[in-house]
Amino acid sequence: MESRYVDNQRLDELITTYSDMVYRIAMMRCQSREDAEDVYQEVFIKLVRYAGQLESDEHIKAWLIRVTINQCNSLNTSSWKKKTSSFDDMLENGQEPSEVDEGIERAGEGDEMLQVVRQLKPEYRDVIYLFYYEDYSIRQISDALHETEANVRVRLTRARKKLKSMMEEKGMGPHGGF
Amino acid sequence: MEDFKKTMDTIHAPNDLLKRTMEKMHEENERLQKEGEMAPVIEVASRNDNRKKISTRFTQWRVQIVAAAAALVLIVGGATIYRNQQTSVPWTTPSDMDAMASDNDSSFELEKTMKGKMMDMYHNGAKTKDIKGVPVLLVYDEEKDIRYAYWETETGSGWCESDPGETEKDFMTMVKNGIH
Protein backbone atom coordinates (compact mmCIF):
# COMPACT_ATOMS: atom_id res chain seq x y z
CA MET A 1 0.00 0.00 0.00
CA GLU A 2 1.35 3.41 -0.98
CA SER A 3 2.24 5.63 1.93
CA ARG A 4 0.23 8.79 2.29
CA TYR A 5 3.16 10.61 3.80
CA VAL A 6 6.39 11.96 2.36
CA ASP A 7 9.52 12.63 4.32
CA ASN A 8 10.89 16.09 5.07
CA GLN A 9 13.66 15.75 2.55
CA ARG A 10 11.18 15.28 -0.26
CA LEU A 11 9.20 18.25 0.97
CA ASP A 12 12.34 20.40 0.94
CA GLU A 13 13.01 19.38 -2.65
CA LEU A 14 9.51 20.29 -3.69
CA ILE A 15 9.49 23.69 -2.04
CA THR A 16 12.89 24.53 -3.47
CA THR A 17 11.80 23.55 -6.97
CA TYR A 18 8.44 25.31 -7.04
CA SER A 19 8.98 28.14 -4.58
CA ASP A 20 9.51 30.86 -7.17
CA MET A 21 6.67 29.67 -9.39
CA VAL A 22 4.16 29.78 -6.56
CA TYR A 23 5.46 33.12 -5.39
CA ARG A 24 5.22 34.65 -8.87
CA ILE A 25 1.66 33.48 -9.40
CA ALA A 26 0.75 34.79 -5.98
CA MET A 27 2.40 38.13 -6.73
CA MET A 28 0.56 38.34 -10.04
CA ARG A 29 -2.75 37.51 -8.46
CA CYS A 30 -2.71 39.10 -5.03
CA GLN A 31 -3.09 42.73 -4.20
CA SER A 32 -0.14 43.02 -1.84
CA ARG A 33 3.09 41.29 -1.00
CA GLU A 34 1.76 40.23 2.40
CA ASP A 35 -1.15 38.49 0.77
CA ALA A 36 1.17 36.79 -1.65
CA GLU A 37 3.28 35.49 1.23
CA ASP A 38 0.21 34.22 3.05
CA VAL A 39 -0.90 32.41 -0.05
CA TYR A 40 2.58 30.98 -0.55
CA GLN A 41 2.64 29.49 2.94
CA GLU A 42 -0.88 28.14 2.74
CA VAL A 43 -0.18 26.42 -0.55
CA PHE A 44 2.93 24.63 0.64
CA ILE A 45 1.33 23.55 3.90
CA LYS A 46 -1.49 22.05 1.86
CA LEU A 47 1.11 20.32 -0.25
CA VAL A 48 2.31 18.44 2.85
CA ARG A 49 -1.12 16.83 3.11
CA TYR A 50 -1.49 15.97 -0.55
CA ALA A 51 2.08 15.30 -1.73
CA GLY A 52 1.71 11.57 -1.08
CA GLN A 53 -1.28 11.37 -3.40
CA LEU A 54 0.26 13.28 -6.32
CA GLU A 55 1.88 10.92 -8.75
CA SER A 56 4.45 12.84 -10.75
CA ASP A 57 6.34 16.13 -10.70
CA GLU A 58 4.19 17.41 -13.55
CA HIS A 59 1.12 16.53 -11.55
CA ILE A 60 2.53 18.34 -8.54
CA LYS A 61 3.29 21.41 -10.63
CA ALA A 62 -0.22 21.57 -12.08
CA TRP A 63 -1.68 21.02 -8.60
CA LEU A 64 0.40 23.86 -7.17
CA ILE A 65 -0.70 26.26 -9.93
CA ARG A 66 -4.33 25.38 -9.41
CA VAL A 67 -4.23 25.65 -5.62
CA THR A 68 -2.30 28.92 -5.70
CA ILE A 69 -4.89 30.50 -8.00
CA ASN A 70 -7.76 29.21 -5.84
CA GLN A 71 -6.10 30.46 -2.70
CA CYS A 72 -5.65 33.92 -4.23
CA ASN A 73 -9.27 33.97 -5.35
CA SER A 74 -10.56 33.06 -1.92
CA LEU A 75 -8.31 35.63 -0.30
CA ASN A 76 -9.39 38.37 -2.70
CA THR A 77 -13.08 37.63 -2.21
CA SER A 78 -12.90 37.47 1.59
CA SER A 79 -14.68 40.19 3.50
CA TRP A 80 -11.46 41.11 5.29
CA LYS A 81 -9.72 41.91 2.03
CA LYS A 82 -12.56 44.08 0.81
CA LYS A 83 -11.97 46.38 3.77
CA THR A 84 -8.25 46.77 3.18
CA SER A 85 -6.60 48.85 0.49
CA SER A 86 -5.61 46.96 -2.62
CA PHE A 87 -2.28 46.81 -4.37
CA ASP A 88 -3.74 48.58 -7.39
CA ASP A 89 -5.26 51.27 -5.21
CA MET A 90 -1.82 51.94 -3.77
CA LEU A 91 -0.42 52.28 -7.27
CA GLU A 92 -3.18 54.66 -8.22
CA ASN A 93 -2.45 56.74 -5.15
CA GLY A 94 0.99 57.51 -6.56
CA GLN A 95 3.07 55.23 -4.40
CA GLU A 96 6.27 53.99 -5.91
CA PRO A 97 6.28 50.37 -7.11
CA SER A 98 9.26 49.71 -4.88
CA GLU A 99 7.16 50.62 -1.87
CA VAL A 100 4.45 48.29 -3.02
CA ASP A 101 6.48 45.32 -4.01
CA GLU A 102 9.84 44.86 -2.42
CA GLY A 103 10.19 41.43 -3.98
CA ILE A 104 10.35 42.76 -7.50
CA GLU A 105 13.72 43.99 -8.57
CA ARG A 106 13.52 46.92 -10.86
CA ALA A 107 14.55 45.95 -14.37
CA GLY A 108 13.98 48.93 -16.61
CA GLU A 109 11.08 48.52 -19.01
CA GLY A 110 10.34 45.05 -17.74
CA ASP A 111 8.99 46.45 -14.53
CA GLU A 112 6.61 48.59 -16.51
CA MET A 113 5.59 45.57 -18.48
CA LEU A 114 4.79 43.73 -15.28
CA GLN A 115 2.59 46.58 -14.16
CA VAL A 116 0.69 46.44 -17.44
CA VAL A 117 0.15 42.71 -17.07
CA ARG A 118 -1.08 43.20 -13.55
CA GLN A 119 -3.76 45.54 -14.81
CA LEU A 120 -5.34 42.71 -16.77
CA LYS A 121 -8.17 40.69 -15.37
CA PRO A 122 -6.97 37.88 -13.10
CA GLU A 123 -8.04 35.14 -15.51
CA TYR A 124 -6.10 36.86 -18.31
CA ARG A 125 -3.02 37.16 -16.09
CA ASP A 126 -3.09 33.42 -15.44
CA VAL A 127 -3.08 32.40 -19.08
CA ILE A 128 -0.47 35.02 -20.01
CA TYR A 129 1.82 33.86 -17.25
CA LEU A 130 1.40 30.16 -17.97
CA PHE A 131 1.62 30.52 -21.73
CA TYR A 132 4.49 32.96 -22.02
CA TYR A 133 6.52 32.30 -18.92
CA GLU A 134 5.92 28.68 -18.00
CA ASP A 135 5.69 27.75 -21.70
CA TYR A 136 2.56 25.75 -21.08
CA SER A 137 0.53 24.56 -24.04
CA ILE A 138 -3.18 25.30 -24.32
CA ARG A 139 -3.92 21.76 -23.22
CA GLN A 140 -1.67 21.99 -20.18
CA ILE A 141 -3.23 25.29 -19.18
CA SER A 142 -6.70 23.83 -19.51
CA ASP A 143 -5.67 20.92 -17.31
CA ALA A 144 -4.10 23.16 -14.71
CA LEU A 145 -7.00 25.61 -14.56
CA HIS A 146 -9.75 23.01 -15.03
CA GLU A 147 -11.09 24.92 -18.01
CA THR A 148 -11.86 23.80 -21.54
CA GLU A 149 -9.23 24.31 -24.19
CA ALA A 150 -11.59 26.56 -26.16
CA ASN A 151 -12.09 28.72 -23.14
CA VAL A 152 -8.35 28.99 -22.57
CA ARG A 153 -7.83 29.91 -26.22
CA VAL A 154 -10.44 32.65 -26.03
CA ARG A 155 -8.94 34.01 -22.85
CA LEU A 156 -5.48 34.04 -24.34
CA THR A 157 -6.63 35.89 -27.47
CA ARG A 158 -8.49 38.51 -25.47
CA ALA A 159 -5.58 38.92 -23.06
CA ARG A 160 -3.19 39.54 -25.97
CA LYS A 161 -5.48 42.15 -27.52
CA LYS A 162 -5.98 43.90 -24.23
CA LEU A 163 -2.28 43.84 -23.44
CA LYS A 164 -1.42 45.23 -26.88
CA SER A 165 -3.84 48.12 -26.59
CA MET A 166 -2.62 48.95 -23.08
CA MET A 167 0.99 48.95 -24.22
CA GLU A 168 0.13 51.27 -27.10
CA GLU A 169 -1.60 53.63 -24.69
CA LYS A 170 1.52 53.72 -22.54
CA GLY A 171 3.71 54.27 -25.61
CA MET A 172 5.53 51.00 -25.16
CA GLY A 173 6.92 49.35 -28.26
CA PRO A 174 5.24 46.24 -29.65
CA HIS A 175 8.47 44.28 -29.32
CA GLY A 176 8.17 40.89 -27.75
CA GLY A 177 5.76 39.68 -30.37
CA PHE A 178 2.09 39.33 -29.45
CA MET B 1 6.87 39.29 -24.01
CA GLU B 2 10.60 39.01 -23.52
CA ASP B 3 10.45 41.92 -21.11
CA PHE B 4 7.71 40.19 -19.21
CA LYS B 5 9.83 37.09 -18.94
CA LYS B 6 12.84 39.05 -17.81
CA THR B 7 10.79 40.75 -15.16
CA MET B 8 9.35 37.49 -13.96
CA ASP B 9 12.83 36.04 -13.80
CA THR B 10 13.76 38.69 -11.31
CA ILE B 11 10.94 37.75 -8.93
CA HIS B 12 12.06 35.30 -6.29
CA ALA B 13 10.53 34.19 -3.04
CA PRO B 14 12.36 35.82 -0.13
CA ASN B 15 14.73 33.48 1.70
CA ASP B 16 13.23 34.10 5.09
CA LEU B 17 9.79 33.24 3.72
CA LEU B 18 11.21 30.06 2.25
CA LYS B 19 12.77 29.04 5.57
CA ARG B 20 9.69 29.85 7.59
CA THR B 21 7.54 27.88 5.20
CA MET B 22 9.89 24.92 5.32
CA GLU B 23 9.72 24.84 9.11
CA LYS B 24 5.95 24.98 9.03
CA MET B 25 5.83 22.18 6.49
CA HIS B 26 8.01 19.99 8.73
CA GLU B 27 5.78 20.68 11.70
CA GLU B 28 2.70 19.89 9.66
CA ASN B 29 4.24 16.70 8.39
CA GLU B 30 5.07 15.49 11.91
CA ARG B 31 1.61 16.36 13.10
CA LEU B 32 0.01 14.45 10.25
CA GLN B 33 2.17 11.39 10.90
CA LYS B 34 1.18 11.43 14.58
CA GLU B 35 -2.46 11.66 13.58
CA GLY B 36 -1.90 8.80 11.15
CA GLU B 37 -0.63 6.54 13.97
CA MET B 38 -3.77 7.26 15.98
CA ALA B 39 -5.99 6.95 12.94
CA PRO B 40 -7.07 3.26 13.37
CA VAL B 41 -8.52 3.86 16.85
CA ILE B 42 -10.23 7.02 15.75
CA GLU B 43 -11.48 5.30 12.63
CA VAL B 44 -13.14 2.47 14.58
CA ALA B 45 -14.73 4.93 16.97
CA SER B 46 -16.02 7.05 14.15
CA ARG B 47 -17.36 3.96 12.37
CA ASN B 48 -19.34 3.02 15.48
CA ASP B 49 -20.63 6.55 15.67
CA ASN B 50 -21.69 6.32 12.06
CA ARG B 51 -23.56 3.08 12.73
CA LYS B 52 -25.37 4.68 15.64
CA LYS B 53 -26.21 7.67 13.51
CA ILE B 54 -27.51 5.47 10.72
CA SER B 55 -29.66 3.33 13.07
CA THR B 56 -30.97 6.42 14.81
CA ARG B 57 -31.75 7.99 11.47
CA PHE B 58 -33.50 4.80 10.32
CA THR B 59 -35.59 4.63 13.48
CA GLN B 60 -36.51 8.26 13.13
CA TRP B 61 -37.53 7.66 9.53
CA ARG B 62 -39.67 4.70 10.49
CA VAL B 63 -41.44 6.66 13.20
CA GLN B 64 -42.04 9.51 10.84
CA ILE B 65 -43.41 7.26 8.12
CA VAL B 66 -45.75 5.46 10.52
CA ALA B 67 -46.95 8.76 11.98
CA ALA B 68 -47.55 10.15 8.51
CA ALA B 69 -49.47 7.03 7.46
CA ALA B 70 -51.62 7.15 10.58
CA ALA B 71 -52.37 10.80 10.04
CA LEU B 72 -53.27 10.11 6.43
CA VAL B 73 -55.64 7.30 7.41
CA LEU B 74 -57.32 9.51 10.00
CA ILE B 75 -57.73 12.34 7.55
CA VAL B 76 -59.12 10.13 4.80
CA GLY B 77 -61.44 8.32 7.21
CA GLY B 78 -62.69 11.55 8.72
CA ALA B 79 -63.26 13.05 5.32
CA THR B 80 -65.20 9.97 4.17
CA ILE B 81 -67.42 9.96 7.23
CA TYR B 82 -68.06 13.67 6.91
CA ARG B 83 -68.96 13.28 3.22
CA ASN B 84 -71.35 10.43 3.98
CA GLN B 85 -73.06 12.49 6.64
CA GLN B 86 -73.46 15.33 4.22
CA THR B 87 -74.85 13.28 1.35
CA SER B 88 -76.99 10.50 2.96
CA VAL B 89 -80.33 11.68 4.50
CA PRO B 90 -82.61 8.62 4.97
CA TRP B 91 -86.41 8.83 4.30
CA THR B 92 -86.32 12.50 3.57
CA THR B 93 -84.99 13.06 0.08
CA PRO B 94 -87.55 14.16 -2.47
CA SER B 95 -86.72 11.25 -4.75
CA ASP B 96 -87.32 8.78 -1.95
CA MET B 97 -90.58 10.46 -1.11
CA ASP B 98 -91.71 10.26 -4.72
CA ALA B 99 -90.78 6.61 -4.90
CA MET B 100 -92.65 5.87 -1.72
CA ALA B 101 -95.69 7.77 -2.92
CA SER B 102 -95.74 5.92 -6.21
CA ASP B 103 -95.41 2.59 -4.35
CA ASN B 104 -98.29 3.49 -2.06
CA ASP B 105 -100.41 4.52 -4.99
CA SER B 106 -99.80 1.32 -6.86
CA SER B 107 -100.48 -0.88 -3.83
CA PHE B 108 -103.57 1.11 -3.07
CA GLU B 109 -104.77 0.69 -6.62
CA LEU B 110 -104.10 -3.03 -6.46
CA GLU B 111 -105.94 -3.39 -3.20
CA LYS B 112 -108.82 -1.39 -4.53
CA THR B 113 -109.01 -3.52 -7.66
CA MET B 114 -108.95 -6.72 -5.65
CA LYS B 115 -111.71 -5.54 -3.35
CA GLY B 116 -113.86 -4.55 -6.28
CA LYS B 117 -113.36 -7.88 -7.99
CA MET B 118 -114.12 -9.83 -4.88
CA MET B 119 -117.27 -7.89 -4.24
CA ASP B 120 -118.35 -8.52 -7.81
CA MET B 121 -117.65 -12.19 -7.37
CA TYR B 122 -119.63 -12.34 -4.19
CA HIS B 123 -122.63 -10.59 -5.57
CA ASN B 124 -122.62 -11.92 -9.11
CA GLY B 125 -121.34 -15.40 -8.48
CA ALA B 126 -118.73 -15.11 -11.14
CA LYS B 127 -116.10 -17.72 -11.77
CA THR B 128 -112.98 -16.69 -9.92
CA LYS B 129 -110.59 -18.54 -12.16
CA ASP B 130 -111.44 -16.28 -15.05
CA ILE B 131 -110.32 -13.21 -13.20
CA LYS B 132 -107.04 -11.92 -14.46
CA GLY B 133 -104.62 -9.78 -12.57
CA VAL B 134 -105.53 -11.13 -9.14
CA PRO B 135 -103.16 -13.34 -7.15
CA VAL B 136 -104.25 -16.96 -6.92
CA LEU B 137 -104.03 -17.10 -3.13
CA LEU B 138 -106.51 -14.33 -2.82
CA VAL B 139 -109.07 -15.82 -5.19
CA TYR B 140 -112.33 -16.56 -3.49
CA ASP B 141 -113.48 -20.10 -4.27
CA GLU B 142 -117.19 -19.82 -3.72
CA GLU B 143 -118.18 -23.42 -4.42
CA LYS B 144 -115.57 -24.85 -2.08
CA ASP B 145 -116.56 -22.49 0.65
CA ILE B 146 -120.22 -23.38 0.29
CA ARG B 147 -119.51 -27.07 0.29
CA TYR B 148 -117.41 -26.77 3.40
CA ALA B 149 -120.07 -24.76 5.20
CA TYR B 150 -122.75 -27.33 4.29
CA TRP B 151 -120.59 -30.20 5.50
CA GLU B 152 -120.07 -28.42 8.83
CA THR B 153 -123.79 -27.89 9.23
CA GLU B 154 -124.63 -31.51 8.45
CA THR B 155 -122.05 -32.99 10.76
CA GLY B 156 -122.45 -30.41 13.52
CA SER B 157 -118.75 -29.65 13.64
CA GLY B 158 -116.94 -26.31 13.35
CA TRP B 159 -118.34 -23.02 14.31
CA CYS B 160 -121.95 -24.19 13.64
CA GLU B 161 -121.87 -26.71 16.44
CA SER B 162 -123.43 -24.32 18.86
CA ASP B 163 -126.79 -22.79 18.22
CA PRO B 164 -126.47 -20.63 15.19
CA GLY B 165 -128.01 -17.16 15.06
CA GLU B 166 -130.69 -15.91 12.73
CA THR B 167 -128.30 -14.55 10.20
CA GLU B 168 -126.36 -17.73 10.05
CA LYS B 169 -129.52 -19.80 9.70
CA ASP B 170 -130.62 -17.66 6.84
CA PHE B 171 -127.27 -18.05 5.26
CA MET B 172 -127.42 -21.83 5.61
CA THR B 173 -130.83 -21.94 4.07
CA MET B 174 -129.70 -19.76 1.22
CA VAL B 175 -126.74 -22.00 0.66
CA LYS B 176 -128.82 -25.16 0.66
CA ASN B 177 -131.30 -23.72 -1.70
CA GLY B 178 -128.55 -22.41 -3.94
CA ILE B 179 -126.84 -25.77 -4.18
CA HIS B 180 -129.89 -27.91 -4.67
Side-chain angles (χ1 to χ4, degrees), chain A residues 5-6 8 11-12 15-16 19-20 23-24 28 37 40-41 44 48-49 105 110-111 113-114 117 128-129 132-133 135 175-176 178, chain B residues 1-14 17-18 20-22 24-26 28-33 35-37 39:
Chain A
Y5 308 107
V6 293
N8 288 339
L11 290 175
D12 291 347
I15 192 171
T16 307
S19 170
D20 288 344
Y23 189 71
R24 284 169 191 146
M28 292 258 299
E37 291 185 358
Y40 176 91
Q41 288 195 335
F44 280 109
V48 176
R49 294 178 208 152
E105 296 175 11
D111 188 23
M113 181 68 195
L114 181 63
V117 172
I128 288 286
Y129 172 79
Y132 288 106
Y133 190 76
D135 289 329
H175 53 278
F178 281 105
Chain B
M1 293 308 289
E2 290 301 318
D3 296 331
F4 176 69
K5 284 185 180 179
K6 283 178 188 171
T7 306
M8 295 305 287
D9 282 336
T10 61
I11 298 174
H12 299 287
L17 178 64
L18 182 66
R20 272 188 282 135
T21 310
M22 266 188 190
K24 284 190 176 180
M25 287 172 76
H26 294 168
E28 181 72 9
N29 200 22
E30 287 170 12
R31 192 181 65 81
L32 284 174
Q33 285 180 357
E35 281 182 2
E37 288 169 5

